[in-house]
């Protein structure tokens, strides 16, 4: 019974992540890649994402503190962030990164800062949710 | 290597792109991991690195270690395009670019720098499933380059092939490859030409192993040819298997079609016999003239010749034993016709027409004519065939008619073939008319004509009834003659049959035919026919006698079985003829064929 409940819960959690737009189709692809040869593929790659993206966020924060802002560099960072986010299907995070990049292109410092705040926020939310998800599904 | 390994490698080789060795380069760990997962899912062998420089070193260390490189464009230590250039230059490996940015300019840059492909992240599995084509393409290009240059560069390509095969297994093979590639003009590098000798060895190896157990590695070992790779053998084996399949399908068809009596006929008359027939046939007339309808005849001859040969295959001869109906015979003939590979298409068609017609027709004499021709012709061919057969089987010959035609005018008799068909069906032949052609069983409709032909007219010249009627029988013998006769017969038949059948005319023809036929031993069968035929011949009789005699000469076999019945038949045939509209005369369509001297034309169709 508990197991059933857990399974159901997992499913519910997962579905809500999709429904709420935190995850997209790409995440399903990750799940497809998980098989006997790669039993923990999804968890591994998500873990990797978060460790990598945390590092990136730190880099961006540092870059934002310098003056004047190096938009190119920022753009590069965002490019990477975008790459990783899209790879795991982190939809909302990816969208915020796009916004950030727009500001960079526009050389909009304030815009960049604000956009980045949102990126961090979405990133944190997703992390929480996926951690919960994986804990349950483990 | 162990058997398993070998097999495994063979297996891999055979199953390329499975096991293709890919080097993935991306500084983004998440993306790299995803890429790795995707490539593994495609069953490629993946090596990853997040540094372009590392990748380059790995490649430089052993260019044969990888088949394909996938690289991100934006990398901290080196620009992706630069890496692309270097790899292309130094190692001549296919490189696929990867980027989160699908900007057209970037894509263009990638292409101009020599990238095989440019993928945009996130990459999908489907896209990666197809990347192996770049490897093949590169190899093909290299090989052709090799052929031209025989340079080391070329070797790369060839080596790549080697690589594919060997690398999979283990590093050791790399050395082999290396060694082999040292020789610039190693076969490996160059495209393998499967010469006759090589192919012989290949086939010998396969036979030795047994087709089921023939795996490339073993074949390769048995062949013991330097420079030949498993991959070469594997691809060649694949082609060979397809070829075998195709052949067996054809064979099946042949068997299916020709399996019947006809085939037996054919067999009976060995090709040689056919050849004889041909000559016999119609004293020359038939073979070419072949009573077959104008176009057909000509074709028949040739076709028959061919057909005959091919006839051996059942198809032609198929005895239409449908005896009860010519039609069936006809159809079978058709098939036969088709089967005759050797038979010229036109011929086949014609034949078929004949065949079909006659058989089906009998009622339609005209149509039969054609068939008769076949039958007749068949008979001709039958020279070797037993007489009885001739008569009988002829129906099947329909196609063979052409054969027959060649063989002896008999074919023509096909026209009468219809009658023959009936006859050939042997008995079935008469059915139509109500008579049973006695032995017409020989498809030869020709012969049957005489016998079964109910064609009364036909009998005339033996064939005269042409074809439809046994009349033809006489002709068939002659091979050519028969046909002629048949035609004549046919033509005359109408006359005769209807009572108007001018047997006489017919006989004339038949006579001629007979005579010719007589000469043609092909008629052999007919010979006997003639005998009977003559007796029965309604036609002028005068001719008949002649003919019959001749026929006798010719057909030894004809008489056999059915002849005895010929007498019976003839009357029967005559009846049939009467019954059936003996369109034969003109309908046979022999016209064209007919002997120029003859006056077939009197009948209309003639």
């Amino acid at each position: 019974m508990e197991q059933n409940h857990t399974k159901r819960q997992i499913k519910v959690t997962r579905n809500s992540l999709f429904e709420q737009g935190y995850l997209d189709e790409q995440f399903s692809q990750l799940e497809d890649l998980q098989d006997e040869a790669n039993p923990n593929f999804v968890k591994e790659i998500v873990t990797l994402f978060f460790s990598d993206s945390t590092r990136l966020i730190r880099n961006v924060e540092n870059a934002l503190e310098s003056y004047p802002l190096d938009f190119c560099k920022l753009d590069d960072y965002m490019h990477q962030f975008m790459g990783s986010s899209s790879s795991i299907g982190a939809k909302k995070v990816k969208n915020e990164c796009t916004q950030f990049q727009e500001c960079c292109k526009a050389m909009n410092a304030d815009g960049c800062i604000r956009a980045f705040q949102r990126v961090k926020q979405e990133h944190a939310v997703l992390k929480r949710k996926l951690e919960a998800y994986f804990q349950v599904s483990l | 290597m162990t058997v398993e390994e070998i097999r495994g490698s063979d297996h891999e080789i055979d199953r390329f792109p499975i096991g293709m060795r890919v080097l993935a380069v991306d500084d983004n760990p998440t993306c790299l991991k995803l890429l790795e997962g995707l490539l593994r899912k495609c069953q490629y062998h993946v090596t990853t690195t997040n540094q372009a420089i590392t990748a380059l070193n790995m490649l430089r260390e052993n260019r044969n270690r990888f088949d394909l490189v996938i690289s991100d464009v934006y990398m901290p230590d080196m620009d992706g395009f630069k890496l692309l250039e270097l790899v292309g230059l130094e190692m001549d490996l296919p490189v696929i670019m990867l980027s989160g940015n699908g900007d057209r300019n970037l894509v263009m840059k990638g292409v101009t720098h020599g990238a095989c492909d440019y993928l945009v992240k996130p990459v999908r599995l489907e896209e990666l499933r197809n990347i192996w084509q770049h490897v093949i393409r590169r190899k093909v290009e290299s090989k052709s380059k090799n052929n031209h240059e025989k340079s080391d560069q070329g070797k790369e390509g060839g080596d790549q092939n080697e690589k594919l095969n060997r690398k999979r297994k283990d590093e050791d093979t790399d050395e082999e490859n290396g060694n082999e590639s040292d020789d610039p003009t190693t076969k490996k590098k160059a495209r393998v030409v499967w010469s006759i000798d090589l192919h012989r060895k290949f086939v010998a190896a396969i036979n030795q192993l047994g087709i089921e157990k023939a795996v490339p590695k073993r074949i390769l070992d048995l062949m013991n040819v330097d420079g030949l790779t498993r991959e070469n053998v594997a691809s060649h084996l694949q082609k060979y298997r397809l070829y075998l399949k195709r052949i067996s399908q054809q064979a099946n068809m042949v068997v299916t079609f020709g399996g019947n009596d006809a085939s037996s006929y054919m067999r009976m008359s060995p090709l040689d016999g056919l050849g004889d027939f041909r000559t016999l046939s119609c004293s020359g007339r038939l073979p070419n003239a072949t009573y077959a309808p104008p176009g057909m005849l000509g074709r028949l001859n040739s076709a028959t010749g061919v057909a005959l040969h091919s006839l051996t295959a059942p198809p032609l001869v198929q005895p239409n034993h449908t005896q009860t109906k010519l039609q069936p015979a006809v159809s079978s003939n058709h098939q036969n016709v088709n089967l005759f590979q050797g038979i010229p298409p036109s011929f086949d068609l014609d034949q078929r027409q004949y065949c079909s017609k006659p058989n089906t027709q009998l009622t339609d004499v005209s149509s039969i004519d054609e068939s008769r021709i076949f039958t007749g012709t068949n008979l001709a061919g039958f020279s070797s065939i037993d007489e009885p057969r001739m008569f009988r089987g002829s129906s099947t010959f329909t196609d063979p008619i052409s054969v027959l035609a060649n063989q002896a005018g008999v074919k023509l008799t096909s026209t009468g073939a219809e009658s023959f068909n009936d006859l050939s069906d042997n008995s079935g032949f008469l059915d139509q008319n109500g008579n049973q052609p006695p032995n017409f069983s020989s498809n030869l409709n020709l012969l049957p004509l005489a016998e079964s032909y109910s064609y009364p007219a036909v009998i005339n010249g033996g064939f005269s009834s042409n074809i439809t009627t046994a009349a033809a029988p006489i002709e068939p013998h002659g091979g050519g003659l028969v046909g002629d006769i048949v035609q004549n017969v046919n033509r005359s038949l109408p006359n005769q049959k209807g009572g108007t059948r001018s047997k006489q005319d017919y006989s004339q023809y038949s006579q001629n035919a007979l005579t010719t036929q007589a000469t043609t031993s092909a008629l052999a069968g007919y010979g006997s026919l003639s005998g009977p035929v003559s007796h029965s011949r309604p036609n002028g009789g005068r001719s008949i006698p002649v003919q019959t005699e001749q026929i006798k000469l010719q057909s030894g076999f004809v008489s056999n079985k059915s002849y005895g019945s010929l007498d019976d038949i003839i009357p029967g045939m005559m009846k049939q003829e009467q019954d059936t509209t003996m369109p034969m005369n003109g309908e046979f369509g022999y016209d064209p064929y007919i002997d120029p001297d003859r006056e077939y034309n009197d009948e209309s169709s003639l």
Side-chain angles (χ1 to χ4, degrees), chain A:
Chain A
M1 222 162 56
E2 254 184 47
Q3 276 179 353
N4 288 344
H5 177 70
T6 304
K7 276 183 192 159
R8 251 203 322 278
Q9 194 179 352
I10 293 167
K11 201 170 171 197
V12 166
T13 307
R14 179 186 175 279
N15 288 347
S16 75
L17 287 171
F18 278 91
E19 284 160 14
Q20 290 168 26
Y22 290 104
L23 296 176
D24 62 18
E25 169 48 33
Q26 184 62 26
F27 192 83
S28 305
Q29 285 245 338
L30 296 182
E31 290 171 324
D32 290 341
L33 291 178
Q34 184 159 299
D35 53 21
E36 285 157 6
N38 281 319
N40 298 315
F41 184 74
V42 184
K43 185 158 193 274
E44 284 168 8
I45 198 170
V46 168
T47 307
L48 199 54
F49 166 74
F50 282 113
S51 67
D52 183 50
S53 56
T54 306
R55 180 182 59 83
L56 266 176
I57 285 173
R58 270 203 304 276
N59 289 344
V60 171
E61 280 177 336
N62 292 340
L64 282 175
E65 285 170 7
S66 65
Y67 191 81
L69 288 180
D70 184 351
F71 290 110
C72 286
K73 199 174 185 180
L74 286 171
D75 191 58
D76 276 351
Y77 287 141
M78 274 305 112
H79 181 82
Q80 287 190 45
F81 213 122
M82 268 271 273
S84 343
S85 313
S86 61
S87 293
I88 65 155
K91 196 169 170 189
K92 288 195 176 183
V93 175
K94 189 175 72 173
N95 290 343
E96 298 304 333
C97 287
T98 309
Q99 296 290 321
F100 190 107
Q101 275 187 310
E102 295 292 320
C103 295
C104 287
K105 286 198 188 90
M107 312 262 282
N108 181 349
D110 286 341
C112 283
I113 293 168
R114 278 199 297 277
F116 182 63
Q117 290 305 317
R118 285 196 292 278
V119 168
K120 274 204 302 190
Q121 194 178 350
E122 289 297 340
H123 179 264
V125 168
L126 183 65
K127 190 173 181 190
R128 232 178 16 248
K129 286 190 180 289
L130 285 177
E131 277 173 354
Y133 172 71
F134 283 119
Q135 273 170 12
V136 176
S137 60
L138 269 178

Side-chain angles (χ1 to χ4, degrees), chain B residues 22-29 32 35-36 46-59 66 69-72 75 77 83:
Chain B
V22 183
L23 177 61
V25 190
D26 195 332
D27 64 314
N28 189 321
L32 191 62
L35 193 57
E36 186 183 17
V46 189
T47 306
T48 59
T49 176
N50 60 357
Q51 300 220 340
I53 292 172
T54 311
L56 209 54
N57 289 337
M58 276 200 281
L59 288 166
F66 300 103
V69 178
I70 297 184
S71 170
D72 187 28
M75 289 187 287
D77 58 341
L83 176 67

